[in-house]
Amino acid sequence: MTIQPLKITLLALIGILSASCSEDTPTPPDNTWADIRLQVSATTVRESDGEGNPQREYMQIRENDTQPWQRLAMGGIEDFDYVHGHAYELEVRKTTTPSVITYRLLRILSDTPQTTPDALPEEAKFQLKMVQLHPFMDLDTPLPAPFDGLDFRIVDRHGGFFSQEYLHYYDSIVLSSPVMPDTYCIYYNKSYDNGSETNYTRQWASHFFEKSDFKISLKGYKDNKVRHESTITQLMRERDFLGVDWTSGSVALANPRTSVIYCLLDTRHEFRLTDTRETNKTRYISIKVKNDVTLSDAENLKRQLKELQWLMERHPGQNAQLSPSEFKTVPHDVEFIQTAENKTTRMALLHHRGDDLHEECYSLIAESKL
């Protein structure tokens, strides 16, 4: 009879101790949540899962400006309807579980339609790419030099041709360089009272007169503002003289060609360059200036002299008092105007007086000293 109360007391004490231990070591919850601010970009991205499935579109999100953008599947924020081209700041409830993070919209703090280049879809963001080099003298080289031909192309972000489907984001797309005076329009769409005119060039070629690396850009304009820009650094290397390598380059044994050397971004200069030839066991090239049909003969002669002097001053060589006898490839009955040389090359600016068979002109002869 007296043992029963003691038993009840002991059971009560055990219950209290058990409850105390339970409070000291709580069981971790399965998930946690917090109300946060979330930025949503005005641009989306398209990516594949890498398993051969079609690309899917994703929103881009981040919690603050210092974080990189992270992708989130469309519809990944509960109760939120994303509008393309709008940037958002949201208050959301972020729930974290051991396997997944979910978001639920609490309220929209800001909704800003974007009119800046960042509002362009990724597919409308073109790239500029140099796709092929045509070296003078058929040299096997990866680096261009002055007078080499270069092919350029407008490509998409994957390197393929840029689709006409996205041209409507621009009024024009223009090639330019900060070191050259002209521009070259590869795309334009002009409207008139009685219609419109559109032109689109996917690939184009040019030479350059630069002897060092330079920037070249492709800019897409809309309403006279740049919406997107792609810039590359074009590498340039001089050889023995301009694009000439006297020892490794090819030599025309018969029927030498004459190439027109022009620059789309500097239309002030245009030259005619012969293939490399050889006479008296010496390799040489000849450069002339293309005549301007709008000028008189006298004006063309002045222009020829000015252009060839510009070329000599711009490219390697120091003015030198070289005698005609030092040159092995210069024709007879010409007047020496100016001479120069470097370690590999002799140069002479010549005046051809002309006769019944040949017109009066100026030319630049460069020959090997090797």
Side-chain angles (χ1 to χ4, degrees), residues 44 47 57 90 97 101 136 174 202 260:
T44 61
E47 294 181 5
E57 186 177 21
L90 310 176
T97 71
I101 296 175
F136 182 63
V174 179
R202 290 182 169 187
V260 177

Side-chain angles (χ1 to χ4, degrees), residues 262-275:
Y262 62 92
C263 178
L264 292 176
L265 301 182
D266 191 350
T267 56
R268 300 170 298 178
H269 316 289
E270 190 166 342
F271 301 97
R272 294 187 178 275
L273 175 66
T274 64
D275 282 342

Side-chain angles (χ1 to χ4, degrees), residues 40-46 56-60 72-75 80-88 111-116 118-123 169 227:
V40 182
S41 172
T43 61
T44 61
V45 296
R46 291 182 180 271
R56 296 179 58 191
E57 186 177 21
Y58 297 88
M59 294 183 291
Q60 298 188 91
L72 180 67
M74 286 293 185
F80 172 63
D81 294 324
Y82 177 80
V83 178
H84 286 83
H86 286 233
Y88 298 91
D111 175 358
T112 309
Q114 299 291 289
T115 58
T116 64
D118 289 338
L120 289 172
E122 290 298 311
E123 292 83 355
Y169 287 97
R227 295 205 70 191

Side-chain angles (χ1 to χ4, degrees), residues 218-276:
L218 202 58
K219 298 178 182 179
Y221 290 86
K222 186 74 172 182
D223 299 325
N224 296 319
K225 295 181 180 179
V226 177
R227 295 205 70 191
H228 180 63
E229 178 178 351
S230 174
T231 299
I232 63 173
T233 298
Q234 181 57 60
L235 303 180
M236 298 295 287
R237 297 291 183 271
E238 273 196 307
R239 303 189 184 114
D240 293 336
F241 176 71
L242 298 172
V244 178
D245 184 323
W246 296 121
T247 57
S248 302
S250 61
V251 177
L253 300 178
N255 301 318
R257 300 165 301 173
T258 298
S259 303
V260 177
I261 306 299
Y262 62 92
C263 178
L264 292 176
L265 301 182
D266 191 350
T267 56
R268 300 170 298 178
H269 316 289
E270 190 166 342
F271 301 97
R272 294 187 178 275
L273 175 66
T274 64
D275 282 342
T276 305

Side-chain angles (χ1 to χ4, degrees), residues 34-105:
D35 293 343
I36 64 167
R37 292 193 174 198
L38 191 69
Q39 298 176 13
V40 182
S41 172
T43 61
T44 61
V45 296
R46 291 182 180 271
E47 294 181 5
S48 172
D49 59 9
E51 298 180 359
N53 296 318
Q55 290 187 341
R56 296 179 58 191
E57 186 177 21
Y58 297 88
M59 294 183 291
Q60 298 188 91
I61 64 169
R62 63 185 180 187
E63 295 185 18
N64 58 64
D65 294 336
T66 63
Q67 293 182 340
W69 291 105
Q70 303 291 329
R71 74 178 194 178
L72 180 67
M74 286 293 185
I77 303 174
E78 185 181 352
D79 298 331
F80 172 63
D81 294 324
Y82 177 80
V83 178
H84 286 83
H86 286 233
Y88 298 91
E89 186 171 10
L90 310 176
E91 184 179 353
V92 300
R93 178 154 296 176
K94 177 183 179 182
T95 302
T96 305
T97 71
S99 59
V100 70
I101 296 175
T102 61
Y103 301 94
R104 180 168 62 85
L105 177 68

Side-chain angles (χ1 to χ4, degrees), residues 6-21:
L6 179 59
K7 182 178 180 181
I8 294 172
T9 301
L10 289 171
L11 290 172
L13 181 59
I14 291 171
I16 292 170
L17 291 173
S18 298
S20 175
C21 292

